[in-house]
Amino acid sequence: MISKEQLDKDRLPRHVAIIMDGNGRWAKQKGNPRIFGHKNGVDAVRDTVEGAAELGIGFLTLYAFSTENWKRPRTEIDALMSLLVASIHKETKTLLDNNVRLRAIGDIDSLPKSVAQNLKGAIKKTEKNTGLNLILALSYSSRWEIVNAVKLLVEDLQKEKINSEDINASLFELYLNTAGIPDPELLIRTSGEYRISNYLLWQIAYSELYFTPTLWPDFRREHLYKAILDYQCRERRFGKISEQIAENINVNS
Ligand code: IPE
Ligand code: IPE
Ligand code: MG
């Protein structure tokens, strides 16, 4: 297992995004119903959040429920929503103890009232925290977010708050749910699936992707360290060539 001392503290990603996948399969392997996997997934969230906060990561965005997840059986959706309420309630203290600020992206008003209220309450309680920003993606999908951004932008155009000549990538980003949040340098997906499932499509344009077969309920901070170590061994070129990147490092050092 990797320890946090093996990581280069000066080259930590500012923002890590995770697609927490594999809860159902984890439960099935143990002969249990899918919700057992979701319940155990909360332990993985707690440990990962504590690990990220301790490392000094700025932003951690967790994909907890997608727009498409509304198509799951009603019983699973209801169980997930109850688990969300219970977890937000129970874990607010952990967030406060770790100086974590809770935030959310997604269509929060489409969530059941109890979930939306609890979430907004925890967001308020932790708003003064200055450590890790924990962003929950709930009822979130990237296409929803982008279409929503276009609607808001068109409203501002019609109200003449902006001109069409002003539209560029930086302006457009202000209309996304993630306005003001840096793009993730690292995206992790658990459970051995190699897809993005409508997550942060705009924001991951240049993210490093890391896939692990570990099922989400088994994921712990050491797995996060391993992903970060892998990230730190990569060369990010942003369209340039290796020599230019090396030159830049020399100029800046
Ligand atoms: C991820 O685990 C949690 C959610 C999508 C809510 P899954 O529930 O997708 O588990 P698998 O992928 O079926 O194993
Ligand atoms: C992606 O997982 C969504 C979340 C982790 C919340 P899914 O399990 O829903 O993704 P697909 O359906 O396998 O692509
Ligand atoms: Mg899944």
Side-chain angles (χ1 to χ4, degrees):
M1 266 294 165
I2 306 230
S3 74
K4 68 173 191 296
E5 282 67 39
Q6 286 171 263
L7 302 177
D8 180 348
K9 294 283 172 329
D10 298 324
R11 286 181 54 230
L12 289 173
R14 264 193 308 171
H15 184 174
V16 177
I18 307 184
I19 303 175
M20 310 185 288
D21 198 15
N23 294 353
R25 278 163 284 165
W26 186 89
K28 197 172 176 192
Q29 279 175 6
K30 295 182 160 41
N32 281 299
R34 294 177 56 84
I35 188 64
F36 182 69
H38 297 314
K39 282 185 179 152
N40 280 275
V42 179
D43 296 336
V45 171
R46 189 185 311 110
D47 200 65
T48 306
V49 168
E50 283 182 346
E54 191 187 57
L55 272 182
I57 302 277
F59 301 84
L60 177 69
T61 304
L62 302 179
Y63 206 2
F65 194 84
S66 72
T67 306
E68 289 78 17
N69 288 150
W70 290 114
K71 294 182 209 151
R72 290 195 177 190
R74 191 73 239 170
T75 46
E76 178 163 343
I77 295 174
D78 290 346
L80 270 168
M81 293 301 145
S82 307
L83 183 63
L84 259 169
V85 174
S87 306
I88 293 167
H89 214 73
K90 200 167 146 233
E91 302 300 335
T92 304
K93 190 180 171 323
T94 316
L95 301 181
L96 291 168
D97 289 347
N98 289 281
N99 193 22
V100 176
R101 177 178 172 194
L102 184 68
R103 301 166 72 164
I105 56 172
D107 189 5
I108 303 308
D109 293 325
S110 72
L111 296 166
K113 262 211 180 76
S114 57
V115 181
Q117 275 172 359
N118 260 280
L119 184 67
K120 286 176 186 168
I123 289 172
K124 186 98 195 111
K125 273 187 204 152
T126 61
E127 73 182 352
K128 299 237 157 59
N129 287 348
T130 54
L132 173 72
N133 286 272
L134 170 63
I135 304 154
L136 293 184
L138 282 167
S139 194
Y140 174 87
S141 69
S142 211
R143 288 184 175 179
W144 167 83
E145 182 190 33
I146 291 170
V147 171
N148 187 56
V150 171
K151 281 189 196 164
L152 298 172
L153 187 140
V154 169
E155 269 176 34
D156 278 358
L157 267 179
Q158 284 168 344
K159 289 184 196 151
E160 296 182 356
K161 284 192 186 168
I162 54 168
N163 299 313
S164 57
E165 308 84 72
D166 300 335
I167 300 172
N168 56 27
S170 321
L171 181 85
F172 183 72
E173 283 178 345
L174 299 177
Y175 292 88
L176 294 172
N177 283 192
T178 51
I181 297 169
D183 288 343
E185 290 90 345
L186 174 62
L187 170 71
I188 300 170
R189 182 170 189 147
T190 61
S191 90
E193 305 293 357
Y194 298 93
R195 57 178 172 264
I196 302 299
S197 303
N198 215 348
Y199 192 42
L200 302 173
L201 298 177
W202 173 280
Q203 297 87 342
I204 61 168
Y206 264 103
S207 302
E208 296 298 326
L209 309 182
Y210 179 87
F211 298 97
T212 168
T214 304
L215 300 174
W216 179 252
D218 288 330
F219 197 91
R220 291 293 178 273
R221 65 186 79 189
E222 292 76 16
H223 296 92
L224 175 69
Y225 301 157
K226 192 164 177 240
I228 295 176
L229 191 65
D230 193 281
Y231 158 83
Q232 291 185 333
C233 294
R234 300 187 192 183
E235 182 182 65
R236 306 186 75 207
R237 288 191 287 278
F238 301 98
K240 297 182 181 173
I241 64 167
S242 238
E243 288 73 8
Q244 291 174 295
I245 306 299
E247 255 169 46
N248 248 335
I249 290 171
N250 290 337
V251 167
N252 294 333
S253 57

